[in-house]
Amino acid sequence: MKNLDDKPALRSQMIAARRAMTPAVKAQADARISDQLSRWLERHQVRMLGAYLPMPGEPDLSPLYPQLLARGIGLAMPVVLEKHHPLVFVRWQPGDAIARDASGTPAPTARGEYLQPDAVLAPCIGFTNDRLRLGFGGGYFDRTLAQSPRPRAVGIAYAFSRVAFAAEVHDIPLDVIITDEGCWPPDTGDDQP
Ligand code: ADP
Ligand code: MG
């Protein structure tokens, strides 16, 4: 029987599942996630959003970013300045230069002011009913959310990647997960601002 507490095995399974999507299926799922996020942002007051530049296989929401800027929502991208440290966020707009950061993730090269986004998108390899995030195993979002004040954390995931694992002491639940099928837990929009 599968050990559902085995995060490395769950990561491999979920990465394989998303690799199995055809480009057309992935593009459709990504568009659905973008649409759900766009509607979530209409219901919640966010002036500065921590977004992300997708790694291969991750939902690609980048077509939405110019639309968010046009709506007056500022964008910031996470940067790993040093391994095993929390993320910092720097302002970004399409066209700004990108290079790999200390963790090997694409990030803006400019290092201006570090911003405090109102909400941050956290791409998930998997997520649980308790809103725990399965990431690549770096613990960067856990470290970032362990700080105070912490931004609202919006998981971004494919609906098929719902998994089960026990929380480790450092795992911090996200506030909501947005998938191609909607919000988890279902969003009432009554927690403004
Ligand atoms: P992920 O959340 O990326 O799936 P894990 O939850 O497995 O990854 O965490 C990976 C590592 O990050 C763990 O070994 C954990 O000890 C470390 N970590 C997570 N949060 C913190 C924290 N607040 N302080 C120090 N280390 C942390
Ligand atoms: Mg974790």
Side-chain angles (χ1 to χ4, degrees):
M1 190 176 143
K2 267 184 242 165
N3 177 3
L4 292 178
D5 282 351
D6 185 348
K7 281 186 185 179
L10 290 173
R11 283 186 186 106
S12 308
Q13 285 170 26
M14 291 302 116
I15 288 171
R18 64 190 193 187
R19 274 210 199 107
M21 282 188 285
T22 64
V25 166
K26 181 177 188 298
Q28 196 172 48
D30 293 359
R32 287 200 180 120
I33 296 173
S34 293
D35 191 43
Q36 294 289 345
L37 173 61
S38 177
R39 284 193 267 157
W40 187 90
L41 287 166
E42 284 169 8
R43 300 193 298 273
H44 298 272
Q45 214 175 330
V46 174
R47 282 190 297 183
M48 177 61 64
L49 178 70
Y52 68 92
L53 299 163
M55 302 282 276
E58 286 183 341
D60 181 3
L61 311 185
S62 53
L64 180 65
Y65 296 160
Q67 297 174 37
L68 297 182
L69 286 171
R71 276 161 56 178
I73 298 175
L75 296 178
M77 289 294 168
V79 181
V80 176
L81 294 177
E82 267 188 81
K83 279 192 173 176
H84 313 304
H85 281 225
L87 299 166
V88 297
F89 289 85
V90 299
R91 189 180 285 276
W92 181 86
Q93 60 182 11
D96 284 356
I98 296 292
R100 291 190 184 280
D101 66 13
S103 73
T105 306
T109 52
R111 295 284 185 276
E113 190 192 349
Y114 301 143
L115 303 172
Q116 295 263 349
D118 307 304
V120 300
L121 306 182
C124 302
I125 292 174
F127 66 99
T128 71
N129 278 338
D130 298 331
R131 292 173 279 113
L132 296 176
R133 170 177 182 268
L134 183 68
F136 280 107
Y140 285 103
F141 278 98
D142 290 319
R143 266 187 224 98
T144 305
L145 298 177
Q147 301 175 117
S148 182
R150 55 159 275 184
R152 192 184 292 227
V154 179
I156 297 293
Y158 294 114
F160 65 68
S161 67
R162 194 183 291 247
V163 294
F165 61 84
E168 295 182 81
V169 283
H170 61 266
D171 279 325
I172 298 185
L174 305 171
D175 295 284
V176 62
I177 321 290
I178 296 182
T179 77
D180 40 310
E181 291 183 0
C183 297
W184 178 262
D187 189 30
T188 54
D190 59 5
D191 58 349
Q192 300 252 15

